[in-house]
Amino acid sequence: MIVAEEKDTLREKLKEIFGYTQFRGNQEVVIKNILEGKNTFVIMPTGAGKSLCYQLPAMVKDGLAIIISPLIALMKNQVDQLNAYGINARFLNSTLSKSEITRLKKDCINGEVKLLYVAPESLNKEEYIEFLLKTNVSFVAIDEAHCISEWGHDFRPEYRKIKTMIAQLGNLPVIALTATATPKVQIDIQKNLQMEDADVFVSSFNRKNLFYEVRPKKETKKQLIKFLKDNKGKSGIIYCLSRKKVEEIAQLLNVNGFKAAPYHAGLDPDVRVKNQDDFLNEEVDIIVATIAFGMGIDKPDVRFVIHYDVPKSLEGYYQETGRAGRDGLEGFCLMFYSHNDLSKLEKFNKDKSVQERENARILLQEMEFYAESPVCRRKQLLHYFGEEFTEENCGACDNCVHPRERYDGTEYVKLILEAVQQTNERFGLSHLVNVVRGTEDEYVKSYSHSELPVFGKGADEGADFWKSVIRQALIYQYLEKDIDSVGVLKIKQKGIKFLKHPHPIELARDHDFTTAIDEEESSERTPINSKAYDTKLFEMLKTLRKKIAKEKNLPPYVIFQDPSLEEMATTYPTSKEELASVNGVGMGKVQKFGKSFLELIKGYVEENDIETAADVVVKSSVNKSKIKIFIIQQIDRKVDLEEIAESKSLSFEDLLNEIENICYSGTKLNLDYYIDDMLDDSKQEQIFDYFLNSETDSLETALQDEDMSDFSEEEIRLMRIKFLSEYAN
Ligand code: ADP
Ligand code: ZN
């Protein structure tokens, strides 16, 4: 059992070594499990912070942790990042020279190294096993564990031998990690590693900071350029289907003054590596790529991922969009969609076997449903991975921000469920549509389905309408797909209940990608919001970071990540201690890189006469300013106020007090996302007018005013903050 004291030590270690104040998601439970010496299986979406799950235990435990990782490029990158924290991590692979290997072995045997990254090929060698037997291995971590499974999307035969090799090293705890695991892959991994006993930790696949949008593929180049202009200087990836398209778009962007480079398997390897490095080192902002790009990349500050062409599967789409916003800051995922693309993709499959073609067709159909559906994108994606997202409105997808027209779907859902029942839960979507619409094809004839009571009852609506109803019934859990027979739909418990006691169900209309688009609607919403931090200082810090990165020959984010720079541009740290308290900055980084950043900030603060955190906050309550920064950042990310209060154990009242303080000390806060949900426009206007005409912003005066009697104290306070932010700050 872990007692509270130990828990605190883990947190302290987290801060001391990595500079983070809090664990994310499952990290802490996973780490505890590993520290208890248990086999552990971790499934976390990209960007959730898998690496820390083994890096921290490696530092806490005695001995050397071995990390098996499939990609040499990624290994170097991880080791660079760890070294920047002052951690002695190394890698062993074919790129090392003889003498480097000799030195590495010596250091490992002497116990100087804490983490050793190896490729599975290397572990295969007799001599390396002998060498590792001389070291004191603490545990083995297997990254990208789905590579073990043939059912995964990236099977690597050499991964199959891992278990045998580990066994030669003794009875060591094993931790397997992956970002994709359908149930089938998951079982495969555990079987292969003989760790059926492992504790499994599955995290939600919801990526809260990603915004999803699908737009019709019309005037796409124009739309693309406009989007990029609105997001100039940000890092992004644009995926295209063909090499030719990649070249074409990269050129188009260059001509239009953007720093972009192409990436695909047809390029000369040198050029490819250079383009990738240029992207990592911020020499270019945008990489235009086929899906060949991405596996080996974990650039944390990718701000957008655009699918210029429709991806082949929803799983691929999720993985690719997952490369945006790994650092937890905004990530915008935009897909251009057309039926034409789907037909093109179908044609690619024409030489495949019947079964393969059928599988590919089903994947494409999922893609089509996703794009055209009026349902929250997030809900759909999570549904696809077997997870239910229950929030009404996610607030971060096109379908939630601009909800589609709704209608009463009660009778329609009822008819579909009856059709499923009357056909004995043995048919799929198209057949059900034929039955309710009264279309007599061969199947209908051979099963005599024209004699069913439901036959033809829905003839007034078109086939697309009915497909949309069925898809929504699936997502809302009235129906489910049969696991054993592809395409067959069954009724869920919720559906049976509904048939017994129908209740109103609202459905929405699908997007119609065949008619002309409303130009205004599709171009207006770029989610990039105004910033609460000092953008000028932020840019200066970025420039400095780039300069230092160049000198040290490292990617910039290895020095400091964007969230840390944002925090510096909010709190203006001017001493080593203040800098070390910035999230993501440990003492190791302060020693290594701190000096020039502190100098820059000091100079900036003096020149601009800025009150720093140290000036404003009373010395004894350093934590107070941390809470303020946290609140500012969370509001910037449009997090619900209740959620913010909860995560800092504040009452709502306390949170409002903090927000008011922030506001009165001159920081603009944009609470529109919260206020708009609470008060309609006319009510907002009423309160706003009051403050515009009032002689004082005193709350008490406002509460006593007759015009304000309809409003709660909370509403008035929130509107006062809005008012102050817009006028006073
Ligand atoms: P994954 O391997 O799951 O895709 P990473 O391990 O690369 O994710 O982590 C993603 C990002 O999250 C990294 O930029 C990392 O620095 C950051 N991160 C990880 N853990 C934390 C934490 N506890 N607090 C803040 N940032 C974190
Ligand atoms: Zn949504």
Side-chain angles (χ1 to χ4, degrees), residues 5 60 143 168 187 189 203 213 219 249 271 279 411 533 539 550 570 587 597 602 647 662 715:
E5 203 175 303
V60 174
D143 209 357
Q168 294 179 56
I187 292 168
I189 295 174
S203 302
E213 177 169 351
E219 305 201 303
I249 300 295
V271 178
F279 181 58
E411 289 307 314
Y533 54 80
E539 288 308 321
K550 220 169 183 158
T570 315
M587 250 315 165
F597 284 86
K602 267 187 214 151
S647 60
I662 293 170
E715 287 166 342

Side-chain angles (χ1 to χ4, degrees), residues 374-630:
V375 177
C376 168
R377 307 280 178 205
R378 185 163 264 103
K379 196 174 176 73
Q380 291 187 71
L381 285 169
L382 293 175
H383 180 77
Y384 189 72
F385 290 104
E387 196 179 322
E388 199 187 351
F389 181 73
T390 48
E391 273 169 51
E392 263 302 306
N393 186 316
C394 84
C397 81
D398 51 357
N399 285 339
C400 284
V401 174
H402 295 269
R404 307 280 304 161
E405 181 200 332
R406 305 206 153 249
Y407 61 92
D408 178 5
T410 319
E411 289 307 314
Y412 302 108
V413 174
K414 199 161 154 252
L415 187 64
I416 282 297
L417 295 186
E418 283 165 357
V420 174
Q421 257 182 350
Q422 289 173 24
T423 54
N424 298 319
E425 307 189 60
R426 287 174 51 207
F427 296 87
L429 184 125
S430 331
H431 184 73
L432 292 166
V433 171
N434 284 340
V435 170
V436 296
R437 294 193 66 236
T439 313
E440 228 173 315
D441 70 352
E442 271 166 51
Y443 278 105
V444 171
K445 276 190 199 134
S446 67
Y447 288 100
S448 308
H449 281 165
S450 53
E451 284 154 32
L452 298 175
V454 288
F455 186 78
K457 281 273 174 62
D460 290 348
E461 304 291 342
D464 286 343
F465 172 85
W466 284 110
K467 284 185 194 165
S468 163
V469 172
I470 295 177
R471 267 137 39 187
Q472 292 180 65
L474 268 164
I475 288 179
Y476 294 128
Q477 317 275 335
Y478 295 94
L479 287 173
E480 68 185 337
K481 290 183 199 152
D482 190 346
I483 299 179
D484 298 320
S485 26
V486 178
V488 170
L489 302 179
K490 301 192 147 213
I491 302 200
K492 287 192 86 161
Q493 200 53 39
K494 186 172 169 193
I496 294 172
K497 265 198 202 146
F498 168 78
L499 281 179
K500 277 194 197 134
H501 308 285
H503 52 82
I505 297 179
E506 266 204 339
L507 299 180
R509 304 220 177 256
D510 273 11
H511 292 267
D512 182 359
F513 284 101
T514 52
T515 54
I517 53 158
D518 180 344
E519 193 63 40
E520 198 191 19
E521 203 194 27
S522 65
S523 54
E524 78 189 58
R525 34 184 142 106
T526 317
I528 315 302
N529 33 329
S530 63
K531 294 298 175 198
Y533 54 80
D534 186 329
T535 45
K536 192 170 157 215
L537 176 60
F538 180 73
E539 288 308 321
M540 291 166 71
L541 291 168
K542 260 177 93 167
T543 311
L544 174 64
R545 178 177 69 175
K546 191 164 163 186
K547 185 175 143 253
I548 295 177
K550 220 169 183 158
E551 282 165 18
K552 309 227 179 226
N553 202 14
L554 290 169
Y557 59 80
V558 171
I559 314 285
F560 290 122
Q561 294 198 8
D562 281 6
S564 303
L565 295 192
E566 284 189 5
E567 194 173 321
M568 290 178 210
T570 315
T571 57
Y572 309 97
T574 49
S575 71
K576 280 188 179 171
E577 291 67 35
E578 281 167 15
L579 186 60
S581 79
V582 169
N583 210 14
V585 185
M587 250 315 165
K589 283 200 172 181
V590 173
Q591 304 296 4
K592 272 191 143 86
F593 314 113
K595 193 156 171 276
S596 40
F597 284 86
L598 285 173
E599 275 166 14
L600 174 85
I601 297 168
K602 267 187 214 151
Y604 182 85
V605 163
E606 273 163 28
E607 201 167 300
N608 294 286
D609 238 352
I610 288 167
E611 272 188 303
T612 66
D615 301 332
V616 181
V617 180
V618 195
K619 288 275 185 267
S620 64
S621 56
V622 188
N623 271 335
K624 269 225 159 117
S625 79
K626 294 249 25 153
I627 287 189
K628 287 206 174 63
I629 293 143
F630 179 81

Side-chain angles (χ1 to χ4, degrees), residues 14 18-25 27 44-55 78 81 85 143-144 179 207 298-301 322 325-328 557 561 563 583-584:
L14 178 72
F18 295 95
Y20 298 131
T21 33
Q22 271 174 328
F23 286 106
R24 275 193 190 162
Q27 281 177 337
M44 268 188 193
T46 309
K50 275 186 292 301
S51 329
L52 195 93
C53 291
Y54 56 80
Q55 288 167 348
Q78 288 234 2
Q81 295 197 38
Y85 281 115
D143 209 357
E144 313 287 353
R207 294 285 312 277
D298 64 9
K299 186 165 164 44
D301 57 352
R326 276 175 183 251
D327 53 11
Y557 59 80
Q561 294 198 8
N583 210 14

Side-chain angles (χ1 to χ4, degrees), residues 37-310:
K38 295 187 193 156
N39 286 340
T40 311
F41 188 10
V42 180
I43 303 170
M44 268 188 193
T46 309
K50 275 186 292 301
S51 329
L52 195 93
C53 291
Y54 56 80
Q55 288 167 348
L56 188 64
M59 294 303 291
V60 174
K61 277 200 159 195
D62 276 343
L64 171 71
I66 297 182
I67 322 300
I68 301 175
S69 165
L71 291 161
I72 292 180
L74 216 57
M75 252 181 232
K76 169 152 183 353
N77 199 276
Q78 288 234 2
V79 167
D80 281 344
Q81 295 197 38
L82 289 169
N83 292 345
Y85 281 115
I87 296 172
N88 195 349
R90 310 275 276 275
F91 60 80
L92 173 62
N93 63 33
S94 53
T95 64
L96 297 183
S97 70
K98 262 237 147 60
S99 62
E100 281 171 326
I101 292 180
T102 315
R103 194 152 12 114
L104 172 67
K105 283 183 177 172
K106 204 175 118 233
D107 293 348
C108 288
I109 293 169
N110 286 343
E112 282 166 34
V113 183
K114 291 306 295 177
L115 290 99
L116 181 66
Y117 283 78
V118 291
E121 299 77 69
S122 313
L123 261 191
N124 243 338
K125 292 190 187 161
E126 190 81 20
E127 63 162 302
Y128 288 154
I129 295 285
E130 267 167 35
F131 143 62
L132 288 174
L133 280 170
K134 288 184 205 148
T135 67
N136 170 24
V137 179
S138 52
F139 64 87
V140 181
I142 302 164
D143 209 357
E144 313 287 353
H146 58 275
C147 294
I148 281 182
S149 171
E150 287 175 271
W151 303 105
H153 55 77
D154 195 36
F155 175 51
R156 284 160 189 262
E158 63 279 12
Y159 255 66
R160 289 263 182 200
K161 301 183 194 136
I162 289 179
K163 177 65 203 178
T164 335
M165 298 178 300
I166 299 175
Q168 294 179 56
L169 296 177
N171 189 14
L172 295 166
V174 173
I175 154 170
L177 309 101
T178 176
T180 37
T182 55
K184 205 167 182 147
V185 173
Q186 188 181 325
I187 292 168
D188 224 22
I189 295 174
Q190 285 185 266
K191 241 199 224 141
N192 255 286
L193 292 174
Q194 292 167 28
M195 51 187 286
E196 281 100 337
D197 66 322
D199 297 305
V200 183
F201 297 90
V202 185
S203 302
S204 165
F205 272 60
N206 185 12
R207 294 285 312 277
K208 287 188 184 159
N209 56 322
L210 300 190
F211 190 103
Y212 300 99
E213 177 169 351
V214 179
R215 290 187 198 173
K217 203 164 173 177
K218 288 210 171 117
E219 305 201 303
T220 323
K221 288 183 181 147
K222 207 165 117 191
Q223 290 198 58
L224 181 67
I225 300 282
K226 167 145 188 358
F227 177 89
L228 296 177
K229 274 195 180 141
D230 290 342
N231 291 287
K232 194 129 194 180
K234 294 189 178 156
S235 237
I237 306 173
I238 301 174
Y239 284 110
C240 304
L241 208 55
S242 67
R243 297 173 185 181
K244 201 172 131 231
K245 198 39 148 277
V246 165
E247 294 286 349
E248 182 193 329
I249 300 295
Q251 210 169 24
L252 171 84
L253 299 189
N254 283 323
V255 170
N256 278 278
F258 298 102
K259 288 193 264 174
Y263 187 101
H264 57 72
L267 287 173
D268 198 56
D270 292 347
V271 178
R272 215 166 57 206
V273 171
K274 179 176 183 308
N275 290 355
Q276 175 170 324
D277 285 347
D278 282 353
F279 181 58
L280 294 179
N281 298 328
E282 297 178 0
E283 298 297 327
V284 306
D285 296 325
I286 303 159
I287 201 100
V288 188
T290 57
I291 49 172
F293 179 81
M295 245 309 263
I297 296 297
D298 64 9
K299 186 165 164 44
D301 57 352
V302 172
R303 297 274 76 95
F304 59 85
V305 169
I306 296 177
H307 283 87
Y308 194 91
D309 298 308
V310 177

